[in-house]
Amino acid sequence: MNATALPGHFDQGLERSPANYAALTPIQFLERAALIWPDKVAVIHGDRRLTYRHFWERARRLASALEKAGVGRGDTVAVFAPNVPALLEAHYACPMIGAVLNAINTRLDAATVGFILKHGGAKVLIADRSLSPTTSPALAAASTAPLVIDIDDPEDRSGELLGACDYEAFLTGGDPDFAWRPPSDEWEAIALNYTSGTTGDPKGSVYHHRGAYLNALGNVISFGLTPASVYLWTLPMFHCNGWTHTWAVTAAGGTHVCLRKVDPARIFQFIADHGVTHMSGAPIVLNLLIHAPEEAQRDFPHTVQVATGGAAPPSAVIAGIERLGFHVTHLYGMTESYGPSTICIEQDDWAALPLQKRAEKMARQGVPHVGVAAQQVADPDSGEPVPRDGRTLGMLMIRGNTVMKGYLKNAEATRKAFKNGWLMTGDLAVWHADGYVEIKDREKDIIISGGENISSLEIEECLHRHPDIMEAAVVAAPDEVWGETPVAFVAVKPGADGALTAEQVTGWCRDHLARFKVPRRVVFGPLPKTSTGKVQKFVLRERVLEESA
């Protein structure tokens, strides 16, 4: 008997066929949920209740209507809307016909939205009417003419109707029994998500069906989602497709509760009224709940699981939110990694630690998320891993199926993001002996405010355009509510000293930037520099930290 297997031994006479292979796609989650729980409430929005049967029919109607409107494989469908059923339905309808969903950040300014519409090649724009003050100039800036469909949501009918038709009317033209088509290859694009533009224009991260499917299932496992789960949409669905919870909650057969904007009173109300079990968001959401007026808070008999990412929540926030009946899971991720790529899984012995020590453990970025093949902290040039001593700095790198395909129309940026088989996160971290990673600093001067990435370079560029400003530098300041906020250090031009006020500077920024990017504080004076004339930002950071202490 020959104990050595022949080359291809397990492939001889065996072929891939529809019987033993299907491309992974999260569309399957909705079809399955409608089969198993047709009469279960899948979506709650105000007074509306959509069962899984209804959800499935509406998604197919949208897919059919989009196809009739000329949308096909590889076309982009942009949605500019808060957390409403239409955006959730688009997460399934677009990939049904091979189209790519581009959910746009509703907090961006018109010029940036216009760039995204043009760069992404949106063939259709589904836009909530409340955002028309941004949508209208964005369409002009885009210099393109996508088919515009209005979302006329009874929850908020402010703003103008700009589109060719209403979303609900558009659905009536679609077939509820539309025969959707799975991707021929799970590597096909499913979504396009733009970064916040850390340098220059925002970059479009392209997701594939396989990654969306796997990251969603990773969320089901990591976050403990079940058919009994009720997920409140405190996290914007435009953030990495809601960290892929748009698909994960459906995969588990749970219930989606839509929320147009973060309002602590409504969050407490929804938790109590709908039995919310899970929610996600930046640490600012936790802070808003902690500091909500007593009359807005509600008692509920169960523990709510809340996943948070961005800046690590401080121990006071963790303690405060736990007292209100929540349990925190700390995640870390990027637009380039479908959202969560690391998770701080609590070990059994952490429960016995004093709160401060436990909070220090929980604030680390942690271990690989379920769908991540590997992570390491390594020298960014050599790729050599750093010692797991909790002290040596290196760059956090990840790899696996839940990493983007690359940046749309930007080969150079894609090349820089991928090096030696790893996604270079740009975040500097240490590696602890237990395998948990902890981010210590950012290679680039990114400011994370309320879960949004803000480029200091973008703000500096704006400041330098002011006629009375000679030099400017922007750094992050710690903020109890937002995590971090921008502080601008400004040197005025000769002759303008004393004539320029902080209010004028921030007013200039409000006219040229999205509101969340406007500096909260302006400091006038000469900027510290090296002998070669480079601004010493570390000196400015130290000043900010000393003043904040």
Side-chain angles (χ1 to χ4, degrees):
M1 178 179 178
N2 185 0
T4 303
L6 296 173
H9 174 75
F10 287 101
D11 290 325
Q12 291 179 1
L14 307 178
E15 295 182 356
R16 180 184 298 184
S17 74
N20 60 19
Y21 174 83
L24 301 181
T25 175
I27 307 169
Q28 300 166 353
F29 299 149
L30 181 53
E31 182 177 46
R32 178 177 179 272
L35 172 67
I36 301 172
W37 303 285
D39 299 317
K40 179 181 179 178
V41 174
V43 183
I44 296 174
H45 181 53
D47 296 330
R48 297 177 65 189
R49 301 291 185 275
L50 300 177
T51 65
Y52 266 112
R53 177 189 289 111
H54 197 192
F55 186 6
W56 179 229
E57 288 176 354
R58 286 173 63 85
R60 284 186 290 175
R61 280 186 182 275
L62 178 55
S64 173
L66 287 170
E67 187 172 74
K68 289 179 180 180
V71 178
R73 190 169 300 278
D75 288 332
T76 302
V77 176
V79 182
F80 191 44
N83 293 342
V84 293
L87 179 49
L88 187 59
E89 289 158 4
H91 276 80
Y92 297 89
C94 294
M96 283 184 192
I97 56 175
V100 178
L101 172 65
N102 174 207
I104 301 176
N105 187 335
T106 58
R107 300 166 185 164
L108 296 175
D109 56 275
T112 305
V113 174
F115 169 83
I116 290 172
L117 292 173
K118 183 176 182 179
H119 187 265
K123 195 166 188 177
V124 172
L125 171 63
I126 302 173
D128 192 89
R129 66 179 297 175
S130 69
L131 300 172
S132 62
T134 302
T135 306
S136 182
L139 287 168
S143 66
T144 58
L147 170 66
V148 179
I149 301 168
D150 290 309
I151 299 174
D152 189 10
D153 182 9
E155 292 280 303
D156 186 349
R157 285 202 159 114
S158 62
E160 300 178 42
L161 295 173
L162 303 173
C165 66
D166 168 70
Y167 179 80
E168 295 298 329
F170 187 68
L171 287 190
T172 61
D175 180 3
D177 297 316
F178 178 73
W180 68 280
R181 300 181 296 277
S184 57
D185 186 338
E186 58 195 25
W187 174 253
E188 285 183 18
I190 188 173
L192 174 63
N193 293 294
Y194 281 82
T195 66
S196 295
T198 57
T199 54
D201 292 322
K203 299 186 289 290
S205 298
V206 181
Y207 292 1
H208 47 72
H209 285 251
R210 179 180 179 84
Y213 180 98
L214 293 172
N215 205 64
L217 289 186
N219 285 339
V220 172
I221 296 168
S222 299
F223 208 16
L225 297 173
T226 73
S229 297
V230 179
Y231 186 88
L232 177 60
W233 276 103
T234 46
L235 173 75
M237 292 184 195
F238 62 67
H239 266 177
C240 312
N241 304 106
W243 297 352
T244 69
H245 283 112
T246 45
W247 299 302
V249 175
T250 302
T255 299
H256 300 263
V257 181
C258 293
L259 186 67
R260 286 184 63 95
K261 62 180 180 180
V262 173
D263 178 341
R266 296 201 79 188
I267 291 173
F268 279 111
Q269 176 191 341
F270 283 12
I271 292 173
D273 293 353
H274 302 308
V276 169
T277 60
H278 294 76
M279 52 186 275
S280 307
I284 185 177
V285 176
L286 280 58
N287 254 323
L288 289 172
L289 295 176
I290 293 170
H291 298 293
E294 189 174 342
E295 61 270 18
Q297 298 184 11
R298 298 275 294 272
D299 292 327
F300 39 91
H302 61 287
T303 299
V304 178
Q305 302 294 325
V306 56
T308 190
S315 59
V317 172
I318 293 174
I321 201 70
E322 286 192 352
R323 281 193 293 268
L324 292 177
F326 297 81
H327 179 265
V328 177
T329 297
H330 181 210
L331 303 168
Y332 161 85
M334 309 168 65
T335 302
E336 290 84 350
S337 63
Y338 297 71
S341 60
T342 76
I343 177 171
C344 192
I345 296 176
E346 293 187 53
Q347 299 293 332
D348 293 340
D349 58 352
W350 293 7
L353 295 173
L355 177 58
Q356 183 60 39
K357 290 292 184 183
R358 181 160 62 91
E360 290 174 4
K361 295 275 191 181
M362 293 172 66
R364 298 182 299 174
Q365 281 63 38
V367 294
H369 201 254
V370 175
V372 172
Q375 73 177 22
Q376 69 172 8
V377 180
D379 181 283
D381 296 320
S382 69
E384 187 68 24
V386 303
R388 300 191 184 191
D389 56 11
R391 296 189 305 273
T392 307
L393 277 177
M395 183 179 289
L396 176 59
M397 308 173 187
I398 62 172
R399 59 161 52 140
N401 294 293
T402 55
V403 170
M404 65 169 182
K405 297 177 70 166
Y407 295 119
L408 181 69
K409 305 174 187 176
N410 198 332
E412 178 62 18
T414 301
R415 184 189 64 78
K416 290 180 179 179
F418 297 142
K419 187 176 180 180
N420 299 324
W422 294 91
L423 170 64
M424 313 296 282
T425 68
D427 287 316
L428 301 179
V430 296
W431 212 349
H432 290 275
D434 59 3
Y436 284 59
V437 300
E438 180 181 1
I439 292 175
K440 290 294 186 180
D441 201 355
R442 299 180 182 90
E443 185 185 47
K444 297 179 181 178
D445 298 316
I446 300 302
I447 301 166
I448 301 180
S449 183
E452 296 284 353
N453 286 349
I454 302 174
S455 167
S456 62
L457 298 179
E458 181 183 4
I459 303 174
E460 290 165 6
E461 173 66 19
C462 174
L463 291 169
H464 280 116
R465 291 200 301 268
H466 191 286
D468 292 330
I469 293 176
M470 182 171 62
E471 295 178 311
V474 175
V475 298
D479 187 277
E480 291 183 358
V481 176
W482 298 97
E484 294 177 345
T485 54
V487 175
F489 289 83
V490 171
V492 299
K493 292 182 178 180
D497 192 18
L500 188 63
T501 66
E503 290 74 19
Q504 289 172 326
V505 173
T506 55
W508 170 269
C509 291
R510 277 193 294 271
D511 290 339
H512 296 86
L513 297 169
R515 290 299 179 97
F516 67 90
K517 299 178 181 180
V518 176
R520 294 301 181 90
R521 189 155 64 92
V522 179
V523 181
F524 293 96
L527 305 182
K529 298 177 182 176
T530 66
S531 59
T532 58
K534 185 177 180 180
V535 175
Q536 294 175 308
K537 281 196 171 183
F538 72 92
V539 174
L540 299 179
R541 291 192 192 97
E542 289 173 357
R543 285 177 55 183
V544 168
L545 290 174
E546 288 173 1
E547 294 169 2
S548 302

